[in-house]
Amino acid sequence: RSTLSSSSAASDVYKRQKQLYAEKLANELGIHAPKIRVIDYSIGTEWDDIKDNLSNIAEKKYGEVEKLKVLKELDRGFFLVMEVVIGQDFNSISKMAASTLFDVHTSVAQDKFLAKKRLREIGHILAFDLLCNNWDRLPGFWSHDGNLGNLFFDLAGSRIYVIDNSIACINREVSSVAFTSYLEKIRCCLSSITKSPNSEYPPFKKIREIFSLCQGFDFTEDGSKQIQLGLLEASIKISNLTRERLQCLKDETAKAIHLDWADVWKNGLKLIDIEFFISVIEVFKNFVNQASTTLREYHIHRDLEDYNAIIPHSFP
């Protein structure tokens, strides 16, 4: 353990720490994320066992050179262990499967209802990513092509999971222009889709295009509108987040380890900026009434038809 390099540990632990906080925040908002736990070098033999097992696998499969590379990568004080979810990432979903999952024009009422539900779930995830400034998943709001590999479909429970979640808080004092620009981007989005929910807002077209490119199926503008509605649904939940709850999640993250290494865990906590989250939440709060009105009107005129088609006797 004395061979641990504080520099290699520090470079990695900041990312791992933000992933842990993001997982807690996702679950707080009802977003499905695999459970994560931290193993640090002070906990019994588990830390050593992980290093030994991974290096042995690397040697058996790839040889001594690869083992040495792996050992170098394992020169750190903390590991994250993530729950295994059986399913497929969105990059590997076939055109046929995608059409089953996201076809909002199908004549089968139940399939149509579920397709809309899944697309709204994508909207919930987008809202979560906007809260965290997590750019490495969906395009449109960041100068990034998107990474659908960070969306995972659980075959057993038919749920959409988010993986490899991250946080990129913008410090107002250090980057005031970037900070203001980011909040304005969210504000423009919420303003547009609350005023014109039946129009496809340009960033959502980019999301639709990356899905079509990766899966070969275009869920059309009507699908994009479902994602927009999902974002509005999630915005109401986000608006209910309090400073106290955000701090509580940060405190839980701080206590996830038993013994710090060269203060890298403590220092990494500073990158989780509660003030950034509060600023983003305030933007969402400003549109809660408009979002609620838009959703109420949509549910009355559209969703009731979908529900009635599946369970007619549930409504008078």
Side-chain angles (χ1 to χ4, degrees):
R1 294 172 188 177
S2 61
T3 62
L4 272 174
S5 162
S6 61
S7 61
S8 66
S11 64
D12 182 73
V13 76
Y14 294 163
K15 177 181 178 182
R16 300 294 174 250
Q17 201 167 28
K18 289 187 286 186
Q19 283 182 315
L20 181 60
Y21 186 85
E23 180 260 339
K24 293 177 180 295
L25 187 56
N27 283 299
E28 186 76 13
L29 294 170
I31 307 292
H32 301 298
K35 295 177 182 177
I36 294 176
R37 67 186 179 93
V38 183
I39 298 173
D40 67 57
Y41 69 100
S42 70
I43 304 178
T45 62
E46 192 171 14
W47 182 82
D48 293 311
D49 290 342
I50 288 175
K51 291 186 70 173
D52 291 341
N53 288 334
L54 289 176
S55 61
N56 289 336
I57 290 171
E59 183 179 25
K60 289 178 182 178
K61 194 167 183 179
Y62 302 107
E64 181 67 22
V65 174
E66 198 64 28
K67 176 185 177 180
L68 294 175
K69 291 180 181 178
V70 169
L71 283 173
K72 183 178 180 180
E73 287 298 316
L74 293 176
D75 184 23
R76 62 196 66 206
F78 313 99
F79 296 105
L80 289 188
V81 177
M82 186 176 75
E83 173 191 11
V84 174
V85 177
I86 306 300
Q88 287 182 294
D89 69 64
F90 275 38
N91 276 329
S92 60
I93 291 177
S94 68
K95 179 178 180 179
M96 182 177 294
S99 65
T100 300
L101 293 173
F102 304 121
D103 186 3
V104 295
H105 298 117
T106 177
S107 58
V108 181
Q110 185 169 2
D111 289 348
K112 181 178 182 179
F113 170 74
L114 291 174
K116 289 183 176 182
K117 181 175 179 292
R118 294 185 189 106
L119 287 166
R120 289 196 194 180
E121 199 169 343
I122 300 296
H124 300 168
I125 292 167
L126 175 59
F128 165 68
D129 285 344
L130 287 170
L131 175 63
C132 298
N133 192 19
N134 179 27
W135 51 267
D136 189 26
R137 188 171 4 248
L138 297 169
F141 292 88
W142 300 270
S143 56
H144 186 265
D145 292 335
N147 180 8
L148 295 190
N150 285 337
L151 285 171
F152 206 81
F153 188 71
D154 165 30
L155 298 179
S158 297
R159 295 174 174 176
I160 299 174
Y161 277 77
V162 290
I163 61 174
D164 198 16
N165 305 300
S166 189
I167 295 168
C169 298
I170 304 172
N171 188 303
R172 186 202 302 257
E173 295 180 2
V174 175
S175 306
S176 60
V177 174
F179 180 88
T180 303
S181 175
Y182 185 71
L183 296 187
E184 184 61 24
K185 189 184 299 183
I186 299 174
R187 189 177 293 110
C188 287
C189 170
L190 293 171
S191 176
S192 294
I193 61 179
T194 51
K195 290 177 180 176
S196 306
N198 290 318
S199 298
E200 183 184 46
Y201 189 53
F204 292 83
K205 181 179 180 182
K206 291 185 178 180
I207 294 173
R208 175 163 61 91
E209 288 172 345
I210 189 65
F211 270 76
S212 179
L213 179 65
C214 292
Q215 301 171 356
F217 175 76
D218 183 357
F219 49 65
T220 73
E221 290 187 19
D222 288 334
S224 291
K225 295 169 192 174
Q226 293 299 318
I227 297 177
Q228 293 175 179
L229 290 168
L231 187 145
L232 293 182
E233 289 174 342
S235 71
I236 297 173
K237 278 191 174 182
I238 288 174
S239 298
N240 290 325
L241 283 172
T242 64
R243 181 186 298 275
E244 290 73 23
R245 187 55 188 155
L246 292 170
Q247 185 61 51
C248 180
L249 296 178
K250 187 173 180 178
D251 293 342
E252 290 176 9
T253 303
K255 295 174 183 176
I257 62 164
H258 293 75
L259 187 63
D260 206 344
W261 175 261
D263 285 338
V264 291
W265 195 262
K266 176 183 175 181
N267 291 334
L269 276 172
K270 297 173 184 176
L271 299 177
I272 302 173
D273 184 2
I274 301 299
E275 295 306 319
F276 171 77
F277 287 116
I278 292 298
S279 296
V280 176
I281 290 168
E282 285 301 318
V283 175
F284 280 105
K285 277 186 176 180
N286 290 334
F287 288 91
V288 165
N289 290 336
Q290 297 96 309
S292 298
T293 300
T294 299
L295 290 169
R296 192 180 305 115
E297 291 175 352
Y298 186 90
H299 290 324
I300 290 173
H301 298 299
R302 305 285 181 85
D303 272 4
L304 191 58
E305 296 176 4
D306 293 339
Y307 280 106
N308 277 329
I310 302 170
I311 318 174
H313 61 274
S314 297
F315 298 91

